DNA sequence: ACACTTTTGACAATGGTTCTCATGCTGAGT
DNA sequence: ACTCAGCATGAGAACCATTGTCAAAAGTGT
């Protein structure tokens, strides 16, 4: 273990083996993965319920991105904490993180124009990457 | 890829009462609605399975838009055929269709820049509308 | 009206996700 | 190092949206 980061104790969030395992699994593989995939990837060493719980915590904390595939299943991906969007290849799943200040501004403007506050948004771009053509 | 079959002689798609009822329900109410909501709105006069089937058909035919709410449930909305995005109130579900030529251009540019072709995208804006504040 | 095909709907089945709760660990204090 | 109080875990049940099943009902062309 040898962990030298004594912090966030009062909040009672413990860095357990299971949580580290889930985080490591996301770290190790690129792209989006479902809770079940991660559970299998860990060989069942971490209970499915725990995987779900951990993933939800990580997503709430902003450490991972959560989105839904076409079947409505939740998929997670480790990514930078900054706000960004994804450019995903339909064929191979290769993903590029992109930023668009202009889009952020546009969404805020549109929302304000219609009297909406507390604005958030989701934006995903799909295409076929060079290697898949 | 089997959707355009003009010769509806043998494989006839019938405009039944149930299908018309579901379409009418979507027509009558603005915003997004789940299959279950429509089923209830129709007072159960149309079976839930039929509502699901009809909604799926309409979505496949492009007559309605289907998206997923934050819980991953499928929600449907009758809307114009032109490309646009939605500004949705988190609280009451009130929806405004918005267009953003600039966004379209931006997504295409970003995709091209990374070598992606055949570009499409999804964009949803969430906020709290004036009446819900 | 008849024969034939599509559609319907009650119910079962499916599958992802969450909940329950007894037991296991962790971190902190002694 | 030993003990304690709580958070964390995991096996399975519970949930719930969605889909599949299939016999009965409703349309359609003749």
């Amino acid at each position: 273990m040898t962990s030298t980061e004594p912090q966030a104790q009062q909040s009672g969030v413990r860095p357990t083996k299971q949580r580290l395992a889930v985080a490591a699994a996301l770290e190790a593989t690129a792209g989006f993965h479902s809770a079940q995939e991660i559970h299998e990837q860990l060989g069942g060493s971490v209970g499915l319920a725990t995987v779900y719980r951990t993933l939800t915590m990580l997503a709430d904390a902003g450490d991972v991105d959560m989105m839904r595939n076409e079947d409505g299943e939740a998929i997670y991906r480790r990514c930078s904490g900054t706000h960004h969007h994804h450019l995903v290849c339909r064929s191979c799943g290769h993903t590029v993180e992109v930023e668009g200040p202009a889009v952020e501004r546009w969404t805020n403007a549109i929302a304000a124009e219609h009297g909406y506050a507390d604005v958030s948004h989701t934006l995903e771009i799909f295409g076929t990457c060079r290697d898949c053509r």
Side-chain angles (χ1 to χ4, degrees), chain A:
Chain A
M1 312 310 159
T2 66
S3 65
T4 42
E5 48 252 322
Q7 54 169 317
Q9 297 308 336
Q10 60 274 340
S11 60
V13 178
R14 300 170 182 166
T16 64
K17 292 174 186 172
Q18 289 85 345
R19 286 177 185 168
L20 294 173
V22 170
L26 276 172
E27 201 77 56
T29 59
F32 284 96
H33 302 280
S34 69
Q36 316 239 5
E37 283 172 350
I38 291 172
H39 174 240
E40 283 174 27
Q41 188 187 317
L42 293 171
S45 63
V46 177
L48 189 53
T50 300
V51 173
Y52 272 106
R53 270 188 298 246
T54 304
L55 248 19
T56 301
M57 294 182 81
L58 290 173
D60 285 347
D63 292 331
V64 302
D65 261 7
M66 187 272 263
M67 64 171 282
R68 303 222 171 240
N69 65 16
E70 293 187 1
D71 292 329
E73 298 169 18
I75 49 181
Y76 302 82
R77 178 174 190 277
R78 153 89 214 190
C79 63
S80 63
T82 65
H83 180 76
H84 60 263
H85 301 291
H86 295 119
L87 171 55
V88 187
C89 174
R90 295 196 183 80
S91 177
C92 68
H94 186 262
T95 303
V96 179
E97 290 186 6
V98 298
E99 286 182 56
V103 175
E104 315 300 320
R105 265 182 267 114
W106 178 77
T107 57
N108 285 331
I110 286 283
E113 183 183 313
H114 289 276
Y116 281 61
D118 253 338
V119 184
S120 67
H121 63 271
T122 65
L123 168 61
E124 307 286 335
I125 310 176
F126 302 95
T128 310
C129 77
R130 223 186 307 261
D131 295 337
C132 292
R133 273 208 304 282

